[in-house]
């Protein structure tokens, strides 16, 4: 029988690992994309490398070394109708989200991400997955108001970056909706490792096509193919380690715990970015607005968890979906 103290220690260790890797990956990507020393302002190429690396490592771990297991049941029909749209939306999310780092600070990008529950809920209502209620309307209004206040307090606002970041939010919201419609309702059980195995190659292909037309010629012209290989491998390894940490956290904690960890991580990113990056200037209005938005996100998470807990066990979804940025995120590359 496992020692409860050891179990508790492992849980906290996994949570700290997740928070550290998630925050660190965001800072790492920002540094690679915007640093004058690295000189690699190509978010499409960077995200494509992450997906190719993830695809190769997943294949080696599951099919060659066989240390991890991929869930069975995937068919060509399910892959085409479910994995492809999910992979496409995931590629869009990472591409646009990483591009935003070229124009806005990490802290402000994180504040804009707080609008995610609103996007998911509105799209859910549109497709019949969610039902509008006075309580949810109040929560969505609170989150939206907080994000607006945080945006109003931003000193160096760049609307191009805002558009890219909001595009990434919409892409992620669509991915979550597709996960609900195409995967969970078909009864396909996919753990995070399986999602990585199936989705990464599809996302890589979706990123490869626009990369050819949008970034390859620029990279050829500027001679940026000499990106330091050690730094490149380290960046990809951090991304994959982050994915594995999500797997560990989901396995050893509850949905509530990881949602709380997500909120803590967001605050860590916002506050640390002010110390690490010169383009981050936090104001009192910034923090006040973000605090309001996070309070709304916490209320949303609490509402969703109570709703899930009240479900009849027979009606529960076939597979628990890991919570994304606050909510679900089987793959993270930010």
């Amino acid at each position: 029988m496992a020692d409860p103290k050891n179990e508790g220690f492992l849980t906290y260790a996994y949570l700290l690992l997740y928070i550290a890797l998630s925050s660190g990956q965001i800072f790492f990507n920002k540094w690679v994309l915007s640093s004058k020393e690295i000189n690699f302002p190509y978010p499409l190429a960077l995200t494509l490398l992450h997906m190719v690396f993830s695809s190769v490592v997943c294949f080696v771990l599951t099919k060659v070394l066989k240390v991890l297991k991929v869930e069975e049941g995937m068919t060509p029909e399910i892959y085409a109708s479910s994995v492809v749209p999910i992979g496409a939306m995931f590629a869009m999310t990472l591409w646009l989200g990483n591009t935003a780092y070229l124009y806005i600070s990490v802290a402000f990008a994180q504040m804009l991400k707080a609008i995610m529950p609103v996007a998911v809920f509105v799209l859910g209502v549109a497709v019949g997955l969610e039902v509008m209620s006075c309580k949810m309307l109040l929560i969505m209004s609170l989150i939206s108001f907080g994000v607006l206040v945080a945006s109003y307090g931003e000193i160096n606002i760049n609307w191009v970056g805002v558009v890219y970041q909001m595009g990434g939010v919409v892409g992620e919201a669509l991915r979550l909706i597709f996960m609900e419609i195409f995967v969970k309702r078909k009864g396909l059980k996919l753990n995070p490792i399986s999602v990585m195995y199936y989705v990464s190659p599809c996302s890589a292909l979706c990123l490869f096509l626009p990369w050819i037309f949008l970034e390859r010629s620029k990279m050829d012209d500027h001679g940026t193919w000499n990106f330091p290989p050690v730094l490149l491998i380290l960046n990809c390894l951090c991304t994959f380690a982050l994915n594995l940490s999500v797997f560990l956290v989901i396995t050893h904690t509850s949905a509530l715990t990881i949602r709380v960890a997500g909120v803590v991580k967001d605050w860590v990113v916002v506050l640390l970015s002010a110390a690490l990056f010169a383009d981050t200037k936090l104001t009192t209005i910034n923090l006040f607005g973000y605090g309001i938005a996070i309070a709304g996100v916490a209320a949303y998470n609490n509402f969703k968890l109570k709703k899930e807990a009240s479900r009849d066990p027979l009606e529960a979804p076939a597979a628990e979906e890991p919570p994304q940025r606050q909510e679900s995120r089987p793959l993270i590359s930010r």
Side-chain angles (χ1 to χ4, degrees), residues 32 58 61 63 68 72 94 107 181 207 234 250 287 300 320:
V32 168
C58 280
L61 291 177
K63 300 300 181 181
L68 295 173
E72 302 296 332
L94 297 180
I181 295 175
L207 290 165
L234 183 60
I250 292 168
L287 296 175
Y300 171 80
E320 181 182 356

Side-chain angles (χ1 to χ4, degrees), residues 35-50:
S35 171
K36 293 181 180 179
E37 291 82 9
I38 303 301
N39 190 30
F40 196 77
Y42 303 103
L44 254 175
L46 183 65
T47 310
L48 174 60
L49 289 170
H50 289 167

Side-chain angles (χ1 to χ4, degrees), residues 7 10 80 94 248 311 331:
E7 287 292 325
L10 282 176
L94 297 180
L248 290 172
R311 283 180 181 174
L331 284 161

Side-chain angles (χ1 to χ4, degrees), residues 129-151:
L129 296 177
E130 298 283 357
V131 178
M132 181 63 74
S133 66
C134 292
K135 185 172 183 178
M136 287 303 294
L137 183 60
L138 178 62
I139 291 174
M140 296 301 110
S141 299
L142 183 65
I143 296 174
S144 301
F145 176 72
V147 172
L148 285 174
V149 172
S151 302

Side-chain angles (χ1 to χ4, degrees), residues 29-35 39-44 46 95-106 109 158 160-162 164-165 215 218 279:
N29 285 351
K30 170 69 173 180
W31 181 61
V32 168
L33 291 169
S34 63
S35 171
N39 190 30
F40 196 77
Y42 303 103
L44 254 175
L46 183 65
W95 169 19
L96 298 181
N98 282 331
T99 303
Y101 290 146
L102 297 176
Y103 302 94
I104 59 179
S105 68
V106 168
N158 184 307
V160 174
V162 171
Y164 273 119
Q165 185 59 60
E215 287 188 356
K218 294 179 182 179
D279 66 347

Side-chain angles (χ1 to χ4, degrees), residues 20-312:
L21 287 173
S22 184
S23 305
Q25 186 62 39
I26 291 173
F27 296 143
F28 202 168
N29 285 351
K30 170 69 173 180
W31 181 61
V32 168
L33 291 169
S34 63
S35 171
K36 293 181 180 179
E37 291 82 9
I38 303 301
N39 190 30
F40 196 77
Y42 303 103
L44 254 175
L46 183 65
T47 310
L48 174 60
L49 289 170
H50 289 167
M51 292 297 99
V52 171
F53 185 87
S54 179
S55 301
V56 172
V57 173
C58 280
F59 180 80
V60 171
L61 291 177
T62 58
K63 300 300 181 181
V64 179
L65 300 179
K66 297 183 179 180
V67 295
L68 295 173
K69 182 181 178 182
V70 175
E71 299 290 345
E72 302 296 332
M74 181 63 67
T75 65
E77 185 273 331
I78 293 177
Y79 193 91
S81 64
S82 303
V83 175
V84 170
I86 290 170
M89 288 302 100
F90 186 61
M92 171 184 167
T93 299
L94 297 180
W95 169 19
L96 298 181
N98 282 331
T99 303
Y101 290 146
L102 297 176
Y103 302 94
I104 59 179
S105 68
V106 168
F108 187 45
Q110 206 68 22
M111 293 177 185
L112 292 176
K113 288 177 190 176
I115 202 74
M116 177 67 67
V118 177
V120 174
F121 182 74
V122 170
L123 289 173
V125 171
V127 299
L129 296 177
E130 298 283 357
V131 178
M132 181 63 74
S133 66
C134 292
K135 185 172 183 178
M136 287 303 294
L137 183 60
L138 178 62
I139 291 174
M140 296 301 110
S141 299
L142 183 65
I143 296 174
S144 301
F145 176 72
V147 172
L148 285 174
V149 172
S151 302
Y152 179 77
E154 179 66 14
I155 296 176
N156 301 315
I157 191 168
N158 184 307
W159 290 106
V160 174
V162 171
V163 170
Y164 273 119
Q165 185 59 60
M166 297 310 293
V169 167
V170 172
E172 181 67 357
L174 286 170
R175 184 186 73 85
L176 292 174
I177 295 297
F178 288 157
M179 287 286 287
E180 178 74 21
I181 295 175
F182 296 143
V183 177
K184 291 172 71 176
R185 288 193 172 184
K186 290 185 178 181
L188 184 64
K189 296 181 179 180
L190 291 178
N191 60 35
I193 294 298
S194 299
V195 174
M196 291 168 61
Y197 177 81
Y198 290 121
V199 172
S200 294
C202 177
S203 295
L205 180 60
C206 291
L207 290 165
F208 180 72
L209 297 177
W211 172 76
I212 291 177
F213 296 102
L214 299 177
E215 287 188 356
R216 182 177 178 179
S217 59
K218 294 179 182 179
M219 293 175 68
D220 288 336
D221 293 340
H222 291 84
T224 51
W225 289 92
N226 294 322
F227 184 72
V230 175
L231 197 60
L232 167 64
I233 294 173
L234 183 60
N235 185 264
C236 291
L237 276 174
C238 286
T239 301
F240 191 78
L242 174 56
N243 294 334
L244 289 182
S245 75
V246 173
F247 176 75
L248 290 172
V249 170
I250 292 168
T251 303
H252 292 85
T253 66
S254 65
L256 175 60
T257 303
I258 194 171
R259 279 185 167 108
V260 172
V263 172
V264 173
K265 182 267 296 182
D266 290 341
W267 274 108
V268 168
V269 170
V270 168
L271 297 177
L272 275 182
S273 64
L276 295 175
F277 298 104
D279 66 347
T280 301
K281 297 289 186 294
L282 295 178
T283 66
T284 303
I285 298 177
N286 268 152
L287 296 175
F288 177 69
Y290 188 54
I292 294 174
I294 288 299
V297 170
Y300 171 80
N301 287 338
N302 183 59
F303 178 86
K304 295 294 287 184
L305 286 168
K306 286 183 177 179
K307 183 178 178 181
E308 290 169 7
S310 65
R311 283 180 181 174
D312 182 82

